[in-house]
């Protein structure tokens, strides 16, 4: 975009001669007349601004088509796999990068991961000592932590605070049912572990919490394709490559839950619809440049570059049974815009859907590979649009700098000329006065010399 | 000739000298120097008229006075000429400045980004 230069302040001329007012009027009129020949230049500046704005919108539309094609390429590369589960109340599955269809059986989900949680066996009054000797030991997992208590914190609240201050992944709190206070300790993370609090660990160790087999946390235990798996979390992403399992419940007796990795038609349909939408938006903007009157970018080579890239989409022809976009329901209408026929797509068999993946290709092959042509146009720094915009900005910046320099020089020159005008104006007034004096002197001398004024009629 | 004519002769000679100098400066476009010389000329004129006698001047001094007066008119014309040339130059500078400002998008009469043909 162009930037502004120094603002124009009409020169004010003040003088003491009779010509001062006339000159100011001349100056004002001259400035007004000067603006008339500027029509072409200013309109050119405005045209550049419109071109940049139009190119910016076009660039966004091209980027959207690029993104649509890249998504299509990614789907093609990954077979558009989606994960599903036959019993989501037991387990849900999400494809996170799997590359081949597959089926997995999950059985004997016997437990879900839970966090360990214990409570003190006894209740305490607020000031009652919890430790008999002022020393306690927290056991968490395979680690032990010593708590040295003083008279001020050897109470249920103080012990809870001391445990929390350890920062070892457990949270201690005080439960107050009625007038009693119990110490509760919970692990922050699920998983089978050991959690208990022991008093006098170096003397006669006595556990003061109610640890037992049911409150020491548990893992998610299940069988995957007959292989036993135990995980401390309910979300498991380390057993099937590219798949995340989220366990929600246990299986019934003899129940088998099947997790299936298969091409997700909805993903493909959504991607194709996305391509159609972004293509049509770009088509509409391009049509505006090729009207009879022409748009701001008429004649710009970038338009022809975009048109060629768009043609490559609708004219793409691969090989095999599913070889072009029409085979998957993308049609070209009379006005050149695309439409997506969901019915045609839905009618494709599973075998044909597999072949659709070849058509979609990848980021370098198939329909997805066409993103390269669009990237060359819309790439942020090296693309055609960015290069053109940078050129216009550079031109505008240079012009602005030249204008500023020239304006500064003109202002200095105007000041110099103005000082000469002021001097001339004062000189004329002085000369008028001097001439009047000399005229009077000559007239008086003529009277003296000749007895009359020889210059008067 | 009266004794008082001698200082008059010197003043007239001085007046003639500075009038010629101012005329030369004005004709060469050096308005600033001409302005100073004209100011000095005014001082000489005031001194002269203060002692100008009621008696007759010599022909030489009379001619000198007439020539100075005549050259004074020429000097006024020359200053005026230089003034008009400076004014024309200033107008041209203003046009250039208005042109550059509108090229930069700062045009006093432009509100929609387009300038109409009417002035």
């Amino acid at each position: 975009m162009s930037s502004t230069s120094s603002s124009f302040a009409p020169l004010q001329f003040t003088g003491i001669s009779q010509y001062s007012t006339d000159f100011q009027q001349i100056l004002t009129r001259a400035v007004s007349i000067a603006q008339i020949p500027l029509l072409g230049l200013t309109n050119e500046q405005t045209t550049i601004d419109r071109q940049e704005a139009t190119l910016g919108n076009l660039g966004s539309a091209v980027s959207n088509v690029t993104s649509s094609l890249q998504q299509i390429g990614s789907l093609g590369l990954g077979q558009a796999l989606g994960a599903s589960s036959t019993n989501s109340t037991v387990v849900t599955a999400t494809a996170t990068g799997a590359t081949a269809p597959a089926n997995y059986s999950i059985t004997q989900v016997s437990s879900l991961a839970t966090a360990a949680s214990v409570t003190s066996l006894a209740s305490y009054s607020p000031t009652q000592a919890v430790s008999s000797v002022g020393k306690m030991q927290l056991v968490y997992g395979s680690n032990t932590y010593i708590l040295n208590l003083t008279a001020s914190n050897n109470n249920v609240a103080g012990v809870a605070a001391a445990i929390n201050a350890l920062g070892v992944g457990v949270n201690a709190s005080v439960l107050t049912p009625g007038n009693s206070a119990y110490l509760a300790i919970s692990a922050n993370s699920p998983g089978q572990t050991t959690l208990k609090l022991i008093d006098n660990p170096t003397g006669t160790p006595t556990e003061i919490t109610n640890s037992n087999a049911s409150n020491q946390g548990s893992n998610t235990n299940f069988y995957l394709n007959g292989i036993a798996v135990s995980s401390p979390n309910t979300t498991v992403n380390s057993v099937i490559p590219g798949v995340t399992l989220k366990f929600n419940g246990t299986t019934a007796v003899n129940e088998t839950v099947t997790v299936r990795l298969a091409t997700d038609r909805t993903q493909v349909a959504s991607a194709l619809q996305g391509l159609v939408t972004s293509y049509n938006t770009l088509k509409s903007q391009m049509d505006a440049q090729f009207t009879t009157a022409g748009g701001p970018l008429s004649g710009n080579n970038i338009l022809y570059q975009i048109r060629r890239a768009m043609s490559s989409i609708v004219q793409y022809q691969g090989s095999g049974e599913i070889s072009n976009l029409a085979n998957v329901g993308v049609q070209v209408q009379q006005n050149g815009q695309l439409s997506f026929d969901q019915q045609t797509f839905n009618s494709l068999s599973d075998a044909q859907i597999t072949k659709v993946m070849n058509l979609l290709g990848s980021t370098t092959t198939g329909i997805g590979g066409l993103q390269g042509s669009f990237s060359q146009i819309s790439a942020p720094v090296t693309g055609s649009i960015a290069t053109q915009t940078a050129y216009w900005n550079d031109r505008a910046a240079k012009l602005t700098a030249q204008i500023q320099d020239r304006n500064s020089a003109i202002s200095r020159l105007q000041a110099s000329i103005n000082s000469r005008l002021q001097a001339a104006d004062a000189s004329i007034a002085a000369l008028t006065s001097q001439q009047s004096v000399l005229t009077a002197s000559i007239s008086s001398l003529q009277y003296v010399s000749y007895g009359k004024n020889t210059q008067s009629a | 000739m009266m004794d008082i004519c001698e200082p008059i002769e010197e003043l007239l000679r001085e007046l003639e000298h500075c009038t010629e100098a101012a005329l030369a400066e004005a004709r060469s476009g050096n308005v600033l120097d001409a302005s100073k010389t004209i100011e000095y000329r005014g001082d000489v004129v005031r001194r002269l008229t203060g002692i100008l006698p009621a008696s007759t001047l010599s022909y030489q001094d009379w001619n000198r006075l007439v020539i100075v007066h005549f050259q004074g008119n020429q000097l006024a014309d020359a200053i005026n000429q230089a003034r008009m040339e400076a004014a024309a130059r200033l107008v041209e500078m203003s046009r250039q400045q208005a042109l550059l400002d509108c090229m930069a998008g700062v045009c006093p009469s432009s509100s929609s980004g387009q300038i109409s043909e009417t002035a």
Side-chain angles (χ1 to χ4, degrees), chain A residues 372-435:
Chain A
S373 301
F374 287 86
S375 290
Q376 287 178 357
I377 299 168
S378 65
V381 177
T382 58
S384 305
I385 291 176
T387 303
Q388 174 72 84
T389 303
Y391 168 74
W392 281 335
N393 286 339
D394 181 67
R395 182 172 143 196
K398 283 179 179 169
L399 183 61
T400 300
Q402 289 174 359
I403 289 170
Q404 283 176 341
D405 289 344
R406 188 68 190 131
N407 260 330
S408 296
I410 289 175
S411 294
R412 288 193 297 272
L413 194 55
Q414 280 181 326
S416 169
I417 294 174
N418 195 36
S419 67
R420 277 188 275 161
L421 281 174
Q422 297 280 2
D425 200 57
S427 298
I428 290 171
L431 272 170
T432 304
S433 169
Q434 292 168 24
Q435 292 300 101

Side-chain angles (χ1 to χ4, degrees), chain A residues 27 33-34 96 108 120 125 140 148 156 174 187 195 229 241 253 263 281 293 325 408 421:
Chain A
L27 186 60
I33 293 172
T96 58
Q108 299 181 62
S120 59
S125 67
Y140 179 46
N148 290 309
V156 65
V174 178
L195 179 64
V229 178
V253 176
T263 296
T281 300
L325 286 173
S408 296
L421 281 174

Side-chain angles (χ1 to χ4, degrees), chain A residues 59 144 284 330 441:
Chain A
T144 58
S284 298
V330 178
S441 299

Side-chain angles (χ1 to χ4, degrees), chain A residues 292-417:
Chain A
T292 307
L297 294 174
S298 288
N300 194 302
N301 184 57
I302 291 177
L303 292 182
Y304 300 99
Q305 218 179 337
I306 295 174
R307 199 151 71 168
R308 280 195 298 273
M310 292 173 72
S311 295
S312 70
I313 294 178
V314 297
Q315 295 173 5
Y316 179 82
Q317 186 67 39
S319 60
E321 181 186 357
I322 307 295
S323 59
N324 56 56
L325 286 173
N327 295 148
V328 294
V330 178
Q331 307 285 345
V332 182
Q333 298 176 311
Q334 215 168 5
N335 59 3
Q337 301 237 328
L338 300 181
S339 64
F340 178 54
D341 184 358
Q342 186 77 53
Q343 261 187 323
T344 301
F345 179 79
N346 291 342
S347 67
L348 295 172
S349 66
D350 288 346
Q352 289 174 318
I353 284 293
T354 304
K355 297 172 184 174
V356 167
M357 298 302 117
N358 293 332
L359 174 66
L360 300 186
S362 65
T363 53
T364 56
T365 63
I367 296 291
L370 299 176
Q371 61 87 25
S373 301
F374 287 86
S375 290
Q376 287 178 357
I377 299 168
S378 65
V381 177
T382 58
S384 305
I385 291 176
T387 303
Q388 174 72 84
T389 303
Y391 168 74
W392 281 335
N393 286 339
D394 181 67
R395 182 172 143 196
K398 283 179 179 169
L399 183 61
T400 300
Q402 289 174 359
I403 289 170
Q404 283 176 341
D405 289 344
R406 188 68 190 131
N407 260 330
S408 296
I410 289 175
S411 294
R412 288 193 297 272
L413 194 55
Q414 280 181 326
S416 169
I417 294 174

Side-chain angles (χ1 to χ4, degrees), chain A residues 6 38-39 43 46 434 439 448, chain B residues 41 54 69 99 101 113-115:
Chain A
S6 58
L38 300 173
L39 177 65
N43 287 346
T46 303
Q434 292 168 24
T439 302
V448 169
Chain B
R41 181 179 184 269
H69 183 267
L99 167 70
D101 281 328
Q114 299 280 346
I115 297 181

